[in-house]
Amino acid sequence: MPTHDEIRYGTAASQFAELWNAESDRPPRGLVVMLHGGWWRDTYDRHLMDGLSADLAARGWTVANVEYRRTGTDGGGWPQTLDDVLAAVDAVRNARPDLAVLPSASVGHSAGGHLALMAAAHHRVDAVVALAPVTDLPRAVAERLSPGSPEAFIGAGPDEDPAAYRHASPLHRVPLGRPQLVVHGQRDVDVPITQGRAYVAAAKAAGDPAELAEHVDTGHFHVIDPAHPSWASAVAWLDAHVATEEPGA
């Protein structure tokens, strides 16, 4: 079983990261900053990503499963939720000398995929894997994805504050200047694959090294199942683009 350490990056109850130490006698293969989804709402938490965190720790990665302030009664929203993610990455990096030098990636699901891409946009990580990410907030409102969630996150509607919606949308932040993988299921009805396709097309057009892994017969939550083939594609990409060495080398 992996050992856990808590790293706090603020005084609010939700401002901490749970560090899953790599299960290996070798040095860690890299650092993964794990970001859960849930449409930025405080009814969801980091435990959504426990399975993926355990899987990567067993593969020799060190994982920081980040909690952050969310909308509702938790004090989150724009930009404080992203501020929390950036502060968490900095705190994890500064927690130990070895963590400061490991190659890093942000891995996030849904709204956490949005935050993972935004962390890469701020150059806090070396690469990003976005699992069924929300990439275009105005489009999410127009398509009534989780109605009211983007508005609660931004604190206004897209017609009231279009600049905030644009600034908070990874689609409009390219190029990120980081390698990127978007993993998306073709049967995702919560965040349709059109969000992933449009983002990767825009990232490539802007000159980013971005890839899209589409999976048939795959829904929104399959991509956070460590036994599902979609997660295997993410692990293979991390091995190829981030890890310090091949498993068992």
Side-chain angles (χ1 to χ4, degrees), residues 20 47-56 224 226 231:
W20 297 58
H47 292 302
L48 286 169
M49 308 303 272
D50 282 352
L52 300 189
S53 298
D55 183 72
L56 286 178
I224 56 171
W231 176 239

Side-chain angles (χ1 to χ4, degrees), residues 210-235:
E211 302 174 43
L212 175 64
E214 293 194 18
H215 291 269
V216 298
D217 299 324
T218 299
H220 191 60
F221 292 98
H222 287 127
V223 297
I224 56 171
D225 178 356
H228 194 268
S230 58
W231 176 239
S233 69
V235 170

Side-chain angles (χ1 to χ4, degrees), residues 120-221:
H122 286 264
H123 292 180
R124 289 306 207 280
V125 291
D126 301 318
V128 56
V129 175
L131 310 169
V134 182
T135 64
D136 184 347
L137 271 65
R139 184 172 185 167
V141 173
E143 295 179 350
R144 294 187 57 76
L145 307 182
S146 188
S149 292
E151 295 94 328
F153 177 61
I154 298 294
D159 293 334
E160 299 169 292
D161 198 346
Y165 273 80
R166 184 177 181 86
H167 193 65
S169 293
L171 181 73
H172 299 296
R173 300 296 296 269
V174 294
L176 306 189
R178 296 290 188 270
Q180 302 155 52
L181 174 69
V182 172
V183 179
H184 223 129
Q186 293 179 354
R187 291 194 175 182
D188 193 331
V189 296
D190 296 280
V191 181
I193 197 170
T194 49
Q195 288 259 338
R197 288 171 176 166
Y199 174 79
V200 171
K204 286 183 173 180
D208 269 345
E211 302 174 43
L212 175 64
E214 293 194 18
H215 291 269
V216 298
D217 299 324
T218 299
H220 191 60
F221 292 98

Side-chain angles (χ1 to χ4, degrees), residues 40-122:
W40 311 284
R41 291 176 169 174
D42 62 6
T43 48
Y44 304 91
D45 66 17
R46 72 193 185 285
H47 292 302
L48 286 169
M49 308 303 272
D50 282 352
L52 300 189
S53 298
D55 183 72
L56 286 178
R59 296 175 186 272
W61 296 80
T62 295
V63 181
N65 194 8
V66 174
E67 196 54 89
Y68 51 83
R69 288 175 295 169
R70 292 140 290 163
T71 60
T73 61
D74 200 35
W78 180 259
Q80 54 267 37
T81 294
L82 177 60
D83 290 342
D84 277 7
V85 169
L86 301 181
V89 178
D90 291 344
V92 169
R93 284 294 210 180
N94 292 325
R96 295 198 319 243
D98 62 314
L99 298 178
V101 299
L102 286 175
S104 63
S106 53
V107 174
H109 174 240
S110 194
H114 161 267
L115 294 170
L117 290 165
M118 295 297 286
H122 286 264

